[in-house]
Amino acid sequence: MDENERDKLETVDDNELPAKRFIQIKPFSFVMLIASLILLTATITFFVLTTGEEKVVEVVKPQQNVRAEFQKLFDAYDEMKANYFKEIEDEEVVNGAINGMVDALGDPYSDYLDEKEAAQLNESISSSFEGIGAEIQERSGYIAVVSPIKNSPAEKAGLLPNDLITAVDGESLQGMSSSEAVLLIRGEKGTKVTLTINREGLDEPMEVELVRDVIPIETVYAEMDKNGIGHIHITSFSEGTYKELMDAIHEMEKDGLKGLVMDVRQNPGGLLQSAIEISELFVEDGKNLLQYEARNEKPQIFQSSDSEKIDIPVTVLIDDGSASASEIFAGALSESSGIPLVGLTTFGKGTVQTPKDLKDGSNLKLTTAKWLTPDGNWIHEKGIKPDYKVDYPKYATLPFLDPSEKMEEGLVSKSVEVAEEMLKAIGYDPGKMDGLYDAEMKAAVMKLQADEELTVTGVLSEETTLLLMDKLRDKIQKDDPQLKKAKQVIKKELKSSKKKHTK
């Protein structure tokens, strides 16, 4: 792939995440966002004349230079201006018209930010990398979590892909755009925000209180087991990710790296150029990485170039939080290199967004193209299926427990039932799983408190509740059935390769 092709592809900004982030993290977004806030650019040309301090709206009458399709809009505006029972705010009406046009597209990735919203987002991006660390998307009038960021408040609180955020600090998000929701959710380090969450499988909404924090900017987390199998988790594709990855691989090679699990679970995307550079490490020169298709244009094929290659057995971990650039990476390795995919079907974002700044400081972001896998498959709203489907354990999807809630003997509640599931998962027997805080439940909590050198009260709240959730999170990471399967696939390939060499 020549430099011109790469430059052209990067400017279309497919790095726009499938949603908005609550905070920007420099290495993760840069044309898109990482932790929690997403920068959306936009523009519009409704004409408002200004004279000095007074704003005068020009009423446009039918003329030859007026596009006919807008005459209905002008007629409706004139009618409201003349006959509405109160004086209308011109700017609000115009912004509402633009939002209406964008909403009519039915595309969750196209968005409009008025001047005030754009200024607020730009200010927060330039001055702070703080928030809760999750990416969101508007879906049919609801705000859904696409993916929490590794080690962020959102991940630690147990937010999951497809959770619906229905309210922020009691304010309903119904009908809001994702950019409007971002403005409510983001905030400075140390401040608290309460999200009301609907999760599939739960009968009632749950409230989750998070403390906003600085979002980790590292995008590569690497470790190697005693068998020489490396596990590299890429949390986003940013400007620095390629170097971070190569440093990690070279370090593991010194210690005898034999196989590699590339993990893009919960990775909502990033810079397209970064995804291409990293994909090239695993795809033979001249083979397809992806296809890019703008409206009324033939697909443009991007191929792997002459670059350093990783020549050891590899598997890729994916889940329903893997989106956009992560899917480009997974699709390239699967279809052009035959590398096995392990986990769950990916999110399904196969479109490209281009942001545009408007003269008044507002922003318009429109979907301008779609990308296809090397074989020409459009995975939009379908995702990429794994070769080996492995579900998360049931306890990995348990809801958040409110540490301020005091659970003690005699209480019957849904929270007690969740706590029973958590205790059982980490090896403490709470007795019958019935939502009743009985003597057996109290004994289990007392044993946990004694083992962890906490004050033994038999009451589940505050420090004990936080400890319980921390231990559950540690178990999820340690037991990880998807990672175990990915390593099994590599071990099998290593054994097969060894037999071939000994013949």
Side-chain angles (χ1 to χ4, degrees):
M1 182 193 335
D2 62 39
E3 293 300 320
N4 289 334
E5 286 179 326
R6 291 186 177 185
D7 288 343
K8 178 179 178 182
L9 190 54
E10 187 167 357
T11 56
V12 299
D13 204 13
D14 181 53
N15 341 307
E16 286 292 342
L17 305 181
K20 292 46 175 206
R21 299 235 171 156
F22 304 154
I23 341 187
Q24 187 212 25
I25 287 298
K26 192 162 187 179
F28 184 35
S29 63
F30 320 98
V31 187
M32 63 116 250
L33 305 190
I34 167 164
S36 126
L37 179 69
I38 190 166
L39 171 62
L40 303 176
T41 45
T43 333
I44 176 78
T45 50
F46 278 82
F47 301 100
V48 177
L49 306 180
T50 59
T51 7
E53 296 297 322
E54 183 180 3
K55 186 177 288 187
V56 181
V57 177
E58 180 183 25
V59 177
V60 182
K61 297 301 181 182
Q63 298 175 9
Q64 289 184 347
N65 62 344
V66 175
R67 292 169 56 176
E69 61 266 36
F70 283 101
Q71 191 56 55
K72 183 190 294 186
L73 182 64
F74 292 136
D75 290 344
Y77 173 81
D78 290 346
E79 183 66 23
M80 287 189 295
K81 190 72 174 174
N83 296 316
Y84 187 63
F85 81 105
K86 292 191 296 185
E87 185 176 349
I88 67 172
E89 292 291 336
D90 299 322
E91 187 174 358
E92 290 183 9
V93 170
V94 170
N95 285 331
I98 302 169
N99 274 313
M101 288 193 294
V102 174
D103 290 345
L105 297 174
D107 177 14
Y109 305 106
S110 294
D111 202 6
Y112 169 73
L113 293 179
D114 63 33
E115 186 177 358
K116 182 180 179 181
E117 291 171 334
Q120 285 180 301
L121 288 178
N122 288 331
E123 181 182 355
S124 64
I125 287 171
S126 61
S127 64
S128 146
F129 303 142
E130 300 168 0
I132 72 165
E135 184 174 347
I136 59 171
Q137 177 194 51
E138 187 276 326
R139 295 183 193 167
S140 302
Y142 294 94
I143 300 299
V145 174
V146 173
S147 178
I149 304 304
K150 188 177 180 65
N151 293 335
S152 68
E155 184 197 51
K156 293 175 182 177
L159 294 191
L160 298 174
N162 300 314
D163 280 348
L164 297 181
I165 306 174
T166 60
V168 177
D169 290 330
E171 182 175 346
S172 174
L173 300 185
Q174 180 69 43
M176 284 192 184
S177 68
S178 48
S179 58
E180 291 171 323
V182 164
L183 295 177
L184 294 176
I185 298 169
R186 67 176 176 82
E188 295 180 358
K189 175 183 177 180
T191 59
K192 295 181 180 180
V193 61
T194 299
L195 306 182
T196 304
I197 302 291
N198 281 350
R199 177 174 294 172
E200 186 176 356
L202 298 183
D203 296 332
E204 299 178 358
M206 59 180 180
E207 289 198 346
V208 180
E209 183 180 83
L210 302 95
V211 179
R212 300 178 178 101
D213 201 351
V214 175
I215 305 305
I217 63 173
E218 296 86 0
T219 61
V220 173
Y221 296 81
E223 60 182 5
M224 189 172 73
D225 65 20
K226 61 183 180 180
N227 297 310
I229 299 177
H231 172 215
I232 295 182
H233 187 190
I234 299 178
T235 60
S236 65
F237 291 90
S238 75
E239 289 179 343
T241 302
Y242 179 86
K243 183 180 185 306
E244 286 184 63
L245 174 62
M246 295 311 300
D247 288 345
I249 291 175
H250 291 155
E251 195 64 33
M252 288 191 291
E253 285 176 339
K254 295 177 184 178
D255 297 324
L257 180 65
K258 298 176 182 178
L260 188 58
V261 178
M262 295 297 297
D263 188 346
V264 291
R265 293 176 297 177
Q266 307 292 294
N267 180 334
L271 292 174
L272 181 58
Q273 183 58 32
S274 175
I276 289 175
E277 289 175 345
I278 293 172
S279 297
E280 287 181 318
L281 293 170
F282 305 93
V283 176
E284 183 181 336
D285 295 349
K287 287 195 173 183
N288 294 351
L289 298 173
L290 76 152
Q291 300 182 35
Y292 169 80
E293 186 175 330
R295 187 172 72 177
N296 299 325
E297 293 184 11
K298 293 182 179 179
Q300 183 178 1
I301 298 175
F302 291 84
Q303 298 179 328
S304 181
S305 63
D306 184 13
S307 62
E308 183 174 353
K309 304 296 178 184
I310 304 301
D311 189 21
I312 54 176
V314 176
T315 54
V316 178
L317 284 174
I318 56 175
D319 69 3
D320 51 356
S322 305
S324 196
S326 295
E327 293 173 296
I328 289 175
F329 173 76
L333 271 60
S334 174
E335 293 185 359
S336 289
S337 294
I339 290 175
L341 306 180
V342 179
L344 302 173
T345 300
T346 61
F347 180 83
K349 179 182 183 291
T351 57
V352 178
Q353 283 68 46
T354 301
K356 182 176 178 60
D357 291 330
L358 297 175
K359 292 180 180 178
D360 68 346
S362 57
N363 308 108
L364 185 66
K365 182 189 71 169
L366 292 177
T367 297
T368 54
K370 63 182 181 181
W371 66 266
L372 313 171
T373 65
D375 293 344
N377 297 313
W378 194 37
I379 57 89
H380 194 62
E381 298 182 348
K382 295 182 291 185
I384 298 174
K385 292 183 178 180
D387 299 291
Y388 301 92
K389 183 179 183 296
V390 182
D391 289 316
Y392 286 110
K394 181 181 177 182
Y395 57 77
T397 60
L398 290 173
F400 177 86
L401 288 177
D402 183 357
S404 66
E405 182 180 357
K406 187 176 182 180
M407 288 181 266
E408 54 190 342
E409 193 170 3
L411 178 67
V412 178
S413 72
K414 191 71 176 179
S415 295
V416 173
E417 186 176 342
V418 172
E420 289 172 334
E421 294 282 357
M422 290 185 177
L423 284 165
K424 181 180 179 181
I426 64 172
Y428 293 85
D429 184 7
K432 190 176 181 180
M433 314 294 283
D434 55 3
L436 170 63
Y437 205 114
D438 55 15
E440 288 181 284
M441 175 72 171
K442 181 178 179 180
V445 172
M446 291 176 70
K447 188 173 188 312
L448 171 65
Q449 291 170 330
D451 289 346
E452 298 299 325
E453 299 181 350
L454 299 180
T455 302
V456 179
T457 63
V459 175
L460 187 59
S461 66
E462 302 294 346
E463 189 176 6
T464 305
T465 301
L466 292 171
L467 173 66
L468 174 60
M469 290 190 291
D470 285 343
K471 290 184 73 66
L472 180 67
R473 184 163 54 252
D474 291 342
K475 178 177 176 60
I476 292 170
Q477 294 175 350
K478 181 180 178 181
D479 292 350
D480 198 340
Q482 295 169 341
L483 177 58
K484 288 181 178 179
K485 180 62 179 180
K487 287 185 175 183
Q488 287 175 4
V489 174
I490 288 178
K491 288 177 183 177
K492 185 176 180 180
E493 187 173 343
L494 286 171
K495 287 181 181 179
S496 176
S497 177
K498 187 176 182 180
K499 287 181 180 179
K500 289 180 182 178
H501 289 321
T502 55
K503 286 183 178 178

